[in-house]
Coordinates of all heavy atoms in Angstrom, one line a residue:
N1 N 0.8 -1.2 0.0 CA 0.0 0.0 0.0 C 0.9 1.3 0.0 O 0.5 2.3 -0.7 CB -0.9 0.0 1.2 CG -2.1 -1.0 1.1 OD1 -2.3 -1.6 0.0 ND2 -2.8 -1.3 2.2
N2 N 2.0 1.2 0.8 CA 2.9 2.4 0.7 C 3.4 2.7 -0.7 O 3.4 3.8 -1.1 CB 4.1 2.2 1.7 CG 3.7 2.1 3.1 OD1 4.5 1.5 3.9 ND2 2.6 2.8 3.5
L3 N 3.8 1.6 -1.4 CA 4.3 1.8 -2.7 C 3.2 2.2 -3.7 O 3.5 2.8 -4.7 CB 4.9 0.5 -3.2 CG 6.2 0.0 -2.5 CD1 6.6 -1.4 -3.0 CD2 7.3 1.0 -2.6
A4 N 1.9 1.9 -3.3 CA 0.8 2.4 -4.1 C 0.3 3.8 -3.8 O -0.6 4.3 -4.3 CB -0.4 1.4 -4.0
G5 N 1.0 4.4 -2.8 CA 0.7 5.8 -2.5 C 0.0 6.1 -1.2 O -0.3 7.2 -0.9
F6 N -0.2 5.1 -0.3 CA -0.9 5.2 0.9 C 0.1 5.5 2.1 O 1.2 4.8 2.2 CB -1.7 4.0 1.3 CG -2.9 3.8 0.3 CD1 -2.8 3.1 -0.9 CD2 -4.2 4.3 0.7 CE1 -3.8 2.9 -1.7 CE2 -5.2 4.1 -0.2 CZ -5.1 3.5 -1.4
D7 N -0.3 6.3 3.0 CA 0.5 6.5 4.2 C -0.4 6.8 5.4 O -1.6 6.5 5.3 CB 1.5 7.6 4.0 CG 0.9 9.0 3.7 OD1 -0.3 9.2 4.0 OD2 1.6 9.8 3.1
G8 N 0.1 7.4 6.5 CA -0.7 7.6 7.7 C -1.9 8.5 7.5 O -2.9 8.4 8.3
S9 N -1.9 9.4 6.5 CA -3.0 10.3 6.3 C -4.2 9.5 5.8 O -5.4 10.0 6.0 CB -2.7 11.3 5.2 OG -2.4 10.8 4.0
D10 N -4.0 8.3 5.3 CA -5.1 7.4 4.9 C -5.7 6.6 6.0 O -6.7 5.9 5.9 CB -4.7 6.5 3.7 CG -4.2 7.4 2.5 OD1 -5.0 8.0 1.9 OD2 -3.0 7.3 2.3
D11 N -4.9 6.5 7.1 CA -5.4 5.8 8.3 C -6.3 6.7 9.1 O -6.0 7.2 10.2 CB -4.2 5.3 9.2 CG -3.4 4.3 8.5 OD1 -3.9 3.6 7.5 OD2 -2.2 4.1 8.9
S12 N -7.5 6.9 8.5 CA -8.5 7.9 9.0 C -9.7 7.2 9.5 O -9.9 6.0 9.4 CB -8.8 8.9 8.0 OG -9.4 8.2 6.8
L13 N -10.7 8.0 10.0 CA -12.0 7.5 10.3 C -13.0 8.5 9.7 O -12.7 9.7 9.6 CB -12.2 7.4 11.8 CG -11.7 6.2 12.6 CD1 -11.9 6.3 14.0 CD2 -12.3 4.9 12.0
P14 N -14.3 8.1 9.5 CA -15.3 9.0 9.2 C -15.4 10.1 10.2 O -15.4 9.8 11.4 CB -16.6 8.1 9.1 CG -16.1 6.8 8.8 CD -14.8 6.7 9.5
E15 N -15.6 11.3 9.8 CA -15.5 12.5 10.7 C -16.7 12.4 11.7 O -16.6 12.9 12.8 CB -15.6 13.8 10.0 CG -16.8 14.1 9.2 CD -16.8 15.5 8.5 OE1 -15.8 15.7 7.7 OE2 -17.6 16.3 8.8
R16 N -17.7 11.6 11.4 CA -18.9 11.5 12.3 C -18.5 10.9 13.6 O -19.1 11.1 14.7 CB -19.9 10.6 11.6 CG -21.2 10.4 12.3 CD -22.4 10.3 11.4 NE -22.5 11.4 10.5 CZ -23.4 11.5 9.5 NH1 -24.1 10.5 9.2 NH2 -23.5 12.6 8.8
F17 N -17.4 10.2 13.7 CA -16.9 9.5 14.9 C -15.9 10.3 15.7 O -15.5 9.9 16.8 CB -16.4 8.1 14.6 CG -17.3 7.2 13.9 CD1 -16.9 6.5 12.8 CD2 -18.7 7.1 14.3 CE1 -17.8 5.6 12.1 CE2 -19.6 6.3 13.6 CZ -19.1 5.6 12.5
L18 N -15.4 11.4 15.1 CA -14.3 12.1 15.7 C -14.8 13.4 16.4 O -15.9 14.0 16.0 CB -13.3 12.5 14.7 CG -12.7 11.3 13.9 CD1 -11.8 11.8 12.8 CD2 -12.0 10.3 14.9
E19 N -14.1 13.9 17.4 CA -14.6 15.1 18.1 C -14.7 16.3 17.2 O -15.6 17.1 17.4 CB -13.6 15.4 19.3 CG -14.1 16.5 20.2 CD -13.4 16.5 21.5 OE1 -12.4 15.7 21.7 OE2 -13.8 17.2 22.4
E20 N -13.7 16.5 16.3 CA -13.8 17.6 15.4 C -14.7 17.4 14.3 O -14.5 16.6 13.4 CB -12.4 18.0 14.9 CG -12.3 19.2 14.1 CD -10.9 19.6 13.6 OE1 -10.0 19.0 14.1 OE2 -10.8 20.5 12.8
G21 N -15.9 18.0 14.4 CA -16.9 17.9 13.3 C -17.8 16.7 13.4 O -18.6 16.4 12.5
G22 N -17.6 15.9 14.5 CA -18.4 14.7 14.6 C -19.6 14.8 15.5 O -20.0 15.9 15.9
T23 N -20.2 13.6 15.8 CA -21.5 13.5 16.6 C -21.1 12.7 17.8 O -20.7 11.5 17.6 CB -22.6 12.9 15.8 OG1 -22.8 13.7 14.6 CG2 -23.9 12.8 16.6
P24 N -21.4 13.2 19.0 CA -21.0 12.4 20.2 C -22.0 11.2 20.3 O -23.1 11.2 19.8 CB -21.2 13.3 21.3 CG -22.2 14.3 20.8 CD -21.9 14.5 19.3
G25 N -21.5 10.1 20.9 CA -22.3 9.0 21.2 C -23.5 9.3 22.1 O -23.5 10.3 22.8
Q26 N -24.4 8.4 22.2 CA -25.6 8.6 23.0 C -25.8 7.3 23.9 O -25.1 6.3 23.8 CB -26.8 8.8 22.2 CG -26.7 9.9 21.2 CD -26.3 9.4 19.8 OE1 -26.6 8.3 19.4 NE2 -25.5 10.2 19.1
G27 N -26.7 7.4 24.8 CA -27.0 6.3 25.7 C -25.8 6.0 26.6 O -25.2 6.8 27.2
A28 N -25.5 4.7 26.6 CA -24.3 4.2 27.4 C -23.0 4.8 26.8 O -22.0 4.9 27.5 CB -24.2 2.7 27.4
S29 N -23.0 5.3 25.5 CA -21.9 5.9 24.9 C -22.0 7.4 24.9 O -21.3 8.1 24.1 CB -21.8 5.4 23.5 OG -21.6 4.0 23.4
E30 N -22.8 8.0 25.8 CA -23.1 9.4 25.7 C -21.8 10.2 25.9 O -21.0 10.0 26.7 CB -24.0 9.8 26.9 CG -24.4 11.3 26.9 CD -25.5 11.6 27.9 OE1 -25.9 10.7 28.6 OE2 -25.9 12.8 28.0
G31 N -21.7 11.2 24.9 CA -20.5 12.1 24.9 C -19.2 11.5 24.4 O -18.2 12.2 24.3
E32 N -19.2 10.3 24.0 CA -18.0 9.6 23.5 C -17.7 9.9 22.1 O -18.6 10.0 21.2 CB -18.1 8.1 23.7 CG -18.1 7.6 25.2 CD -16.8 7.7 25.8 OE1 -15.8 7.8 25.1 OE2 -16.8 7.7 27.1
Y33 N -16.4 10.1 21.8 CA -15.8 10.2 20.5 C -14.7 9.1 20.4 O -14.3 8.6 21.4 CB -15.3 11.6 20.1 CG -16.3 12.7 20.1 CD1 -16.5 13.5 21.2 CD2 -17.0 12.9 19.0 CE1 -17.4 14.5 21.2 CE2 -17.9 14.0 18.9 CZ -18.1 14.8 20.0 OH -19.0 15.8 20.0
C34 N -14.2 8.9 19.2 CA -13.1 8.0 19.1 C -11.8 8.8 19.1 O -11.6 9.7 18.2 CB -13.2 7.2 17.8 SG -11.9 5.9 17.6
E35 N -10.8 8.5 20.0 CA -9.6 9.2 20.1 C -8.5 8.6 19.2 O -7.6 7.9 19.6 CB -9.1 9.1 21.6 CG -9.9 9.8 22.6 CD -11.1 8.9 23.1 OE1 -11.3 7.8 22.6 OE2 -11.7 9.3 24.1
L36 N -8.8 8.9 17.9 CA -8.0 8.2 16.9 C -6.5 8.6 16.9 O -5.6 7.7 16.8 CB -8.5 8.5 15.5 CG -7.8 7.9 14.3 CD1 -7.8 6.4 14.4 CD2 -8.4 8.4 13.0
D37 N -6.2 9.9 17.0 CA -4.8 10.3 17.0 C -4.0 9.7 18.1 O -2.8 9.3 17.8 CB -4.7 11.9 17.1 CG -5.2 12.6 15.8 OD1 -5.3 11.9 14.8 OD2 -5.5 13.8 15.9
E38 N -4.5 9.6 19.3 CA -3.8 9.0 20.4 C -3.5 7.5 20.1 O -2.4 7.0 20.4 CB -4.5 9.2 21.7 CG -4.6 10.6 22.2 CD -5.8 11.4 21.6 OE1 -6.4 10.9 20.6 OE2 -6.2 12.4 22.2
M39 N -4.5 6.8 19.6 CA -4.3 5.4 19.3 C -3.4 5.2 18.1 O -2.6 4.2 18.2 CB -5.7 4.8 19.1 CG -6.5 4.6 20.3 SD -8.0 3.6 20.1 CE -9.0 4.7 19.1
K40 N -3.4 6.0 17.1 CA -2.5 5.9 16.0 C -1.0 6.0 16.4 O -0.2 5.2 16.0 CB -2.8 6.9 14.9 CG -3.9 6.5 14.0 CD -4.3 7.6 13.0 CE -3.2 8.0 12.0 NZ -3.7 8.9 11.0
A41 N -0.8 7.0 17.3 CA 0.6 7.2 17.8 C 1.1 5.9 18.5 O 2.2 5.5 18.3 CB 0.6 8.4 18.7
E42 N 0.2 5.4 19.4 CA 0.6 4.1 20.1 C 0.8 3.0 19.1 O 1.7 2.2 19.2 CB -0.5 3.8 21.1 CG -0.2 2.5 21.9 CD -1.4 2.0 22.7 OE1 -2.0 2.9 23.4 OE2 -1.7 0.8 22.6
Y43 N -0.1 2.9 18.2 CA -0.1 1.8 17.2 C 1.2 1.8 16.3 O 1.9 0.8 16.2 CB -1.3 1.9 16.3 CG -1.4 0.8 15.2 CD1 -2.0 -0.4 15.4 CD2 -0.9 1.1 13.9 CE1 -2.1 -1.4 14.4 CE2 -1.0 0.1 12.9 CZ -1.6 -1.1 13.2 OH -1.7 -2.0 12.2
Y44 N 1.5 3.0 15.8 CA 2.7 3.2 14.9 C 4.0 2.9 15.7 O 4.9 2.2 15.2 CB 2.8 4.6 14.4 CG 1.7 4.9 13.3 CD1 1.4 6.2 13.0 CD2 1.0 3.9 12.6 CE1 0.5 6.6 12.1 CE2 0.1 4.2 11.7 CZ -0.2 5.6 11.4 OH -1.1 5.9 10.4
E45 N 4.0 3.3 17.0 CA 5.2 3.0 17.8 C 5.3 1.5 18.0 O 6.4 1.0 17.9 CB 5.0 3.7 19.2 CG 6.3 3.5 20.1 CD 6.2 4.2 21.4 OE1 5.1 4.9 21.6 OE2 7.1 4.1 22.2
H46 N 4.2 0.8 18.3 CA 4.3 -0.6 18.5 C 4.7 -1.3 17.2 O 5.5 -2.3 17.2 CB 3.0 -1.2 19.0 CG 2.9 -2.6 19.1 ND1 3.5 -3.3 20.2 CD2 2.4 -3.6 18.4 CE1 3.3 -4.6 20.1 NE2 2.7 -4.8 19.0
R47 N 4.2 -0.9 16.1 CA 4.5 -1.5 14.8 C 5.9 -1.1 14.3 O 6.5 -1.9 13.5 CB 3.5 -1.0 13.7 CG 2.1 -1.6 13.7 CD 2.2 -3.0 13.1 NE 0.9 -3.6 12.9 CZ 0.7 -4.9 12.9 NH1 1.8 -5.8 13.0 NH2 -0.5 -5.5 12.7
G48 N 6.4 0.0 14.8 CA 7.7 0.4 14.2 C 7.6 1.1 12.9 O 8.5 1.1 12.1

């Protein structure tokens, strides 16, 4: 995929699930968003 032109900018999520421009969860998930940037940093570090 890297050779085909993909990099970290493509490791994204629909904005609906993110705090910036998204919609918070409801019910038991009330107010929740997905903390993608924090998890990507941890994931990339683990992957090397």
Side-chain angles (χ1 to χ4, degrees):
N1 288 348
N2 292 156
L3 295 177
F6 292 86
D7 60 24
S9 65
D10 301 293
D11 291 342
S12 60
L13 280 178
E15 65 179 59
R16 188 148 295 175
F17 303 135
L18 304 176
E19 186 166 7
E20 184 175 349
T23 303
Q26 309 93 32
S29 300
E30 184 173 0
E32 292 285 342
Y33 296 95
C34 187
E35 295 87 350
L36 179 61
D37 289 342
E38 293 88 342
M39 289 189 290
K40 277 174 66 172
E42 178 192 311
Y43 178 88
Y44 290 160
E45 182 178 2
H46 179 76
R47 281 285 188 204

